[in-house]
Amino acid sequence: MLSIHNLAYTHANKELLFSGISLNINTRDKAALVGNNGSGKSSLLKLMAGLAEPSEGSIARSTSPYYIPQLFGQYNHLTVAQALGIDGPLKALSEILGGHASESNLTVLNNDWTLEERCREALIHWGLEDIDLQQPMNSLSGGQKTRVFLAGTDIHRPELILLDEPSNHLDAAGRAQLYAWIRHSKATLLVVSHDRELLNLVNTVYELSERGIRTYGGNYEFYAAQKQQENKARHEEIQDAEKALRKAREVQRDTAERRQRLDARGKQKQEKAGLPTISMNTLRNQAEKSTAKLKNVHSEKMNAMSQELRELRDKLPGMEQMHFGFDPSNLHKGKVLVSAHEINDSYGQKLLWPENQSFHILSGERIAVRGANGSGKSTLIKLILGEREPVTGALQRADCKAVYIDQDYSLLQPELAVYQQAQQFNHTGLQEHEIKLRLARFLFQPGDWDKACGVLSGGERMRLVLCCLTIGETAPDMIVLDEPTNNLDLQNLQILAAALNEYQGTLLVVSHDAYFLKEIGVEKEIVLRNEAE
């Protein structure tokens, strides 16, 4: 179906992204491509789709792939039909049916007389019955744009489909439909995703890293178990290397002490023998050279062992190298932080929710805010944080420290350097070396300290926000996260989950990621419904 041999790709700035990539995707495979942000997953997918050219190597395809891109507004200037690549055939069909059956129109249509019917059925199937094919893409929400490209699979009926983060903009209902489609699809699928629920639907996982590509013959749970075994083996290697280094230091110390004793005895014998001064100096110089040579041998051996140990530690996953250190919240468990009774907000002249909302948020609780796209989740968060007041009902808020973290981590100031940003949260007078120690705990090395926050990846911004929260005088009483997993790779998802599980305060999370919500121990929900439901 698709075969890649010795593939390499270099950016326009001559920076090598990856090289030596080889893999085969067979008919009916359902596979996932995973890896850290920046490893080149999206670039590799574009190469497979024929949208970019490799620097080296070859790609063989037995069929033309259908590509569902990661969406960030790049199709906003097109109509739905243009984005789907069917604008020409639809126009030709319309002209033919209008009596202009020219040879050029017949060539463009290529006997696809059911195209219009398939388009209508596809849009209905993916919940886009109100969307017109000539509608501009920039009039659609992120979730609708994703559904447009998914509808394209029904229209084009491809044998090979490449998907780049298809669940990112979908709500819970959209994800459920995507998962069902993946389960029942007869096409060959390769998907780039960090959505663990989706990744459990595939039968092969390819991991792309700076060391190349590795194949794991199973779904995400199998892949995670294999990685855990690898990390366990690496820990054992580190323990063996640490033990060997300690032993080498003991041998060096014992050897140096023994040499000093032998030199001292030799000197005493020489003095008793009454050797001339020049002879004694010669013997002493020879002993010093021998001692220095032996010391150098030991030093070189230990330097090599120390370097090997550093390399082994560097191979540990980021989460295993991190230390969070959140301070406990000052609030006692069970204190009522927010009490809402029959509240509602308005959208224009219309109430936002068909039913008024009533709920309590207690200190220490972990709560998910759920609802379809457009159901008013962000508005509810603003009400809870006191940025808006409800138009009906009563909302009481206790005096507590709350921090809001959105999916872009806009708590950070793009123009500030990493170290400067950390200093903004330093309200207790920590010294410079203490701030830098905290940054190192969150995997920011000296070379990162002068980087502008605006150039950091999603995972780096997330780690910096967490670091800043540990620098503050006390941990916030409540952390509100709005779609926190959208821009994170698997490693940074694990880091975020581990940090939140260590945090003892109140969590309020807006997310469609059921796997993540379960991972951080969410047990309570505030469910919002709109009129369409």
Side-chain angles (χ1 to χ4, degrees):
M1 180 62 73
L2 188 145
S3 180
I4 292 175
H5 178 67
N6 202 30
L7 206 67
Y9 182 70
T10 304
H11 285 303
N13 64 3
K14 306 302 182 184
E15 180 186 353
L16 180 67
L17 184 58
F18 51 70
S19 63
I21 302 299
S22 297
L23 63 87
N24 292 304
I25 298 173
N26 300 315
T27 303
R28 297 290 179 89
D29 274 357
K30 293 180 181 178
L33 179 64
V34 303
N36 292 343
N37 289 343
S39 60
K41 303 184 297 297
S42 292
S43 295
L44 181 55
L45 214 62
K46 287 180 181 177
L47 291 170
M48 294 179 183
L51 300 175
E53 291 297 322
S55 309
E56 294 178 12
S58 61
I59 303 175
R61 310 172 188 87
S62 63
T63 185
S64 296
Y66 178 77
Y67 172 64
I68 298 180
Q70 186 175 175
L71 298 167
F72 46 85
Q74 70 270 43
Y75 295 93
N76 282 355
H77 63 291
L78 302 177
T79 66
V80 171
Q82 288 171 335
L84 288 171
I86 56 174
D87 186 52
L90 280 175
K91 184 179 179 181
L93 178 60
S94 176
E95 290 187 3
I96 291 169
L97 294 176
H100 301 286
S102 65
E103 186 176 339
S104 61
N105 279 336
L106 290 169
T107 300
V108 171
L109 183 60
N110 194 26
N111 285 326
D112 192 0
W113 300 102
T114 64
L115 176 60
E116 207 166 44
E117 183 182 347
R118 291 203 315 278
C119 289
R120 184 168 56 254
E121 291 174 350
L123 292 177
I124 292 172
H125 176 234
W126 288 97
L128 300 169
E129 53 273 10
D130 296 329
I131 302 299
D132 186 272
L133 288 167
Q134 300 310 316
Q135 190 169 335
M137 288 287 284
N138 64 5
S139 67
L140 306 182
S141 69
Q144 287 174 320
K145 290 174 186 175
T146 298
R147 287 170 181 264
V148 162
F149 283 97
L150 289 169
T153 63
D154 292 345
I155 297 169
H156 293 286
R157 297 173 181 170
E159 296 178 9
L160 173 62
I161 304 173
L162 309 175
L163 306 95
D164 195 353
E165 300 287 2
S167 63
N168 258 10
H169 298 284
L170 296 178
D171 56 23
R175 289 187 179 214
Q177 187 175 12
L178 172 65
Y179 302 154
W181 173 77
I182 289 174
R183 275 192 294 268
H184 297 111
S185 176
K186 302 299 183 184
T188 302
L189 305 177
L190 178 64
V191 56
V192 169
S193 182
H194 62 262
D195 181 340
R196 273 81 57 90
E197 197 165 346
L198 186 157
L199 294 176
N200 272 333
L201 302 175
V202 304
N203 51 35
T204 305
V205 174
Y206 299 106
E207 182 188 61
L208 182 63
S209 71
E210 70 278 1
R211 295 183 290 277
I213 199 158
R214 291 193 62 185
T215 303
Y216 295 81
N219 64 5
Y220 172 75
E221 295 291 353
F222 178 83
Y223 163 77
Q226 292 294 109
K227 295 297 289 184
Q228 191 173 22
Q229 288 182 11
E230 291 173 13
N231 293 335
K232 182 181 178 183
R234 193 166 287 128
H235 276 293
E236 290 173 353
E237 285 185 77
I238 289 172
Q239 289 173 357
D240 290 343
E242 289 172 338
K243 184 178 179 181
L245 184 58
R246 284 196 300 271
K247 183 67 176 175
R249 284 173 176 156
E250 290 173 6
V251 170
Q252 183 191 39
R253 186 175 61 251
D254 293 344
T255 302
E257 290 174 354
R258 187 162 56 250
R259 188 73 194 183
Q260 286 175 348
R261 289 194 298 269
L262 290 174
D263 288 347
R265 290 173 190 167
K267 185 177 180 181
Q268 289 175 354
K269 289 181 180 179
Q270 293 162 10
E271 289 173 347
K272 286 181 180 179
L275 293 176
T277 301
I278 188 169
S279 297
M280 289 183 65
N281 287 340
T282 299
L283 291 171
R284 186 175 67 250
N285 288 338
Q286 289 175 344
E288 288 175 351
K289 286 180 181 179
S290 177
T291 300
K293 184 177 180 181
L294 188 62
K295 185 176 180 181
N296 286 338
V297 169
H298 280 291
S299 294
E300 288 176 6
K301 181 179 178 182
M302 283 194 296
N303 285 339
M305 294 173 75
S306 296
Q307 177 62 28
E308 180 186 2
L309 183 57
R310 280 194 296 272
E311 290 174 358
L312 285 171
R313 285 174 174 158
D314 287 342
K315 290 178 182 177
L316 284 174
M319 186 177 67
E320 307 231 4
Q321 302 176 46
M322 291 183 65
H323 304 282
F324 299 109
F326 280 112
D327 293 327
S329 168
N330 289 329
L331 298 180
H332 65 80
K333 294 270 185 189
K335 177 181 172 64
V336 178
L337 302 184
V338 179
S339 179
H341 178 69
E342 296 292 317
I343 66 167
N344 214 323
D345 207 325
S346 61
Y347 182 76
Q349 300 298 316
K350 186 179 180 182
L351 287 176
L352 185 57
W353 301 298
E355 296 179 359
N356 295 336
Q357 303 295 320
S358 297
F359 55 84
H360 298 288
I361 298 176
L362 308 182
S363 177
E365 285 188 319
R366 292 175 174 240
I367 303 171
V369 178
R370 295 184 56 198
N373 291 339
S375 61
K377 299 185 294 294
S378 295
T379 299
L380 182 67
I381 293 301
K382 291 178 181 178
L383 291 169
I384 290 171
L385 293 175
E387 296 176 11
R388 293 174 66 98
E389 293 298 328
V391 296
T392 64
L395 181 65
Q396 286 85 37
R397 310 175 192 89
D399 183 21
C400 69
K401 180 182 177 185
V403 171
Y404 172 70
I405 303 173
D406 62 13
Q407 60 185 295
D408 296 318
Y409 300 95
S410 50
L411 196 65
L412 305 176
Q413 297 172 252
E415 70 281 2
L416 292 183
V418 167
Y419 174 75
Q420 293 174 320
Q421 181 65 71
Q423 275 284 20
Q424 297 290 308
F425 286 77
N426 182 16
H427 306 304
T428 57
L430 292 177
Q431 298 298 310
E432 180 177 336
H433 73 277
E434 293 175 297
I435 296 291
K436 290 178 176 177
L437 179 63
R438 298 286 181 100
L439 287 169
R441 280 186 193 171
F442 284 82
L443 309 184
F444 290 101
Q445 301 307 319
D448 301 317
W449 297 339
D450 291 328
K451 280 185 183 177
C453 293
V455 304
L456 300 180
S457 69
E460 288 171 327
R461 292 199 297 273
M462 177 273 294
R463 285 191 275 112
L464 183 55
V465 166
L466 293 177
C467 179
C468 289
L469 294 183
T470 70
I471 290 172
E473 188 173 356
T474 58
D477 302 311
M478 179 164 63
I479 296 178
V480 180
L481 298 120
D482 194 350
E483 297 289 1
T485 65
N486 271 7
N487 301 312
L488 301 184
D489 56 34
L490 290 174
Q491 173 179 264
N492 283 300
L493 275 173
Q494 292 170 342
I495 288 172
L496 177 60
L500 295 178
N501 282 328
E502 186 174 311
Y503 170 68
Q504 298 299 307
T506 307
L507 275 182
L508 190 63
V509 187
V510 177
S511 180
H512 300 298
D513 190 335
Y515 195 105
F516 175 73
L517 294 175
K518 181 179 178 182
E519 193 174 28
I520 62 173
V522 167
E523 295 180 342
K524 181 177 173 181
E525 294 181 342
I526 299 173
V527 180
L528 301 178
R529 292 179 172 84
N530 54 29
E531 292 290 355
E533 297 176 281

